[in-house]
């Protein structure tokens, strides 16, 4: 009985509290590397809290980064989903991990005369960027609609993120309700176990949007 109950308990824990997530690509290097297994806090935004600038989050990109999904084999999908929830298989193709750069109301611009991103007129010093990457090689000037997020990978030269969807419906913005949870810890490999690199004060000088920064 105990042996049968344990997998169910693990699945419930992963579904509602903390979910392992296998990093499938290099878009978040060097903060997160291919093959890292991270722990996603699914309660981080459940009780009135919302994603903040600098948070690394996992989200469902259906309808923003990807078109609405067509139906597939439900049995295959269930088995693959269970393995992904346990961190034993690659996550669904609809799930992404990125860093929140802009929240609702923010004016995000690339780039200033020194090549830095600006949020609400404040330049960002992004120490978490992959070595050798520019903050962005794609210019943009956007205002993030309320209830959505502007997402970017830390390895900007290898990240398909909000910038890649500027011309599409939604403009690359991810609805807050599509966020699955916040990446709080690297669980594996043991040599990298611990909290991933945070924003390091990159957003400390960003004022709240007030309509005067444009």
């Amino acid at each position: 009985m105990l042996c049968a109950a344990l997998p169910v308990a693990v699945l419930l824990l992963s579904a509602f509290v903390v979910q392992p997530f296998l990093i499938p690509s290099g878009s978040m290097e060097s903060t997160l590397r291919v093959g890292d297994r991270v722990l996603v806090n699914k309660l981080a935004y459940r009780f009135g809290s919302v994603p903040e600038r600098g948070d690394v989050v996992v989200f469902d990109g259906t309808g923003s980064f990807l078109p609405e999904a067509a139906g597939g084999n439900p049995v295959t999908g269930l088995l693959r989903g269970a393995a992904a929830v346990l961190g034993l298989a690659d996550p669904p193709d609809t799930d992404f991990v990125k860093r929140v750069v802009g929240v609702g109301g923010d004016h995000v611009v690339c780039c200033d005369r020194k090549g830095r991103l600006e949020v609400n007129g404040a330049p960002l010093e992004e120490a978490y960027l992959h070595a050798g990457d520019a903050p962005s090689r794609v210019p943009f000037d956007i205002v993030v609609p309320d209830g959505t997020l502007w997402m970017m990978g830390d390895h900007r030269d290898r990240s398909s993120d909000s910038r890649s969807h500027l011309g599409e419906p939604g403009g690359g913005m991810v609805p807050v309700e599509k966020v699955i949870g916040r990446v709080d810890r690297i669980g594996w490999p043991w040599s990298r176990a611990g909290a991933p690199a945070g924003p390091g004060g990159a957003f400390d000088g960003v004022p709240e949007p007030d309509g005067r920064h444009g």
Side-chain angles (χ1 to χ4, degrees), residues 9-176:
V10 171
L11 281 171
L12 288 173
L13 182 69
S14 296
F16 297 106
V17 183
V18 177
Q19 177 180 331
F21 184 88
L22 178 63
I23 301 300
S25 77
S27 70
M28 282 295 294
E29 292 178 343
S30 295
T31 304
L32 302 174
R33 299 176 183 171
V34 177
D36 282 352
R37 285 170 170 78
V38 300
L39 300 180
V40 179
N41 180 356
K42 302 183 80 169
L43 298 180
Y45 309 120
R46 289 281 179 88
F47 302 104
S49 297
V50 294
E52 298 180 355
R53 304 180 196 100
D55 286 357
V56 176
V57 302
V58 172
F59 62 94
D60 177 0
T62 305
S64 56
F65 281 32
L66 296 169
E68 294 292 339
N73 185 313
V75 175
T76 301
L78 181 62
L79 293 174
R80 181 178 175 82
V85 161
L86 296 173
L88 300 176
D90 286 345
D93 292 339
T94 55
D95 288 355
F96 296 82
V97 57
K98 305 291 179 190
R99 192 180 295 273
V100 179
V101 173
V103 298
D106 281 349
H107 182 201
V108 188
V109 177
C110 173
C111 288
D112 69 6
R113 283 178 290 184
K114 294 185 177 180
R116 301 170 296 185
L117 295 188
E118 285 188 347
V119 179
N120 301 337
L124 304 185
E125 299 292 345
E126 300 180 280
Y128 47 78
L129 284 186
H130 188 273
D133 282 8
S136 179
R137 303 188 195 281
V138 177
F140 57 85
D141 186 337
I142 56 95
V143 174
V144 184
D146 287 341
T148 67
L149 304 166
W150 179 260
M151 303 285 202
M152 300 180 76
D154 288 358
H155 196 346
R156 299 281 161 82
D157 287 350
R158 292 186 57 186
S159 178
S160 177
D161 49 38
S162 289
R163 298 167 298 167
S164 305
H165 304 279
L166 280 165
E168 300 173 13
M173 310 298 173
V174 176
V176 170

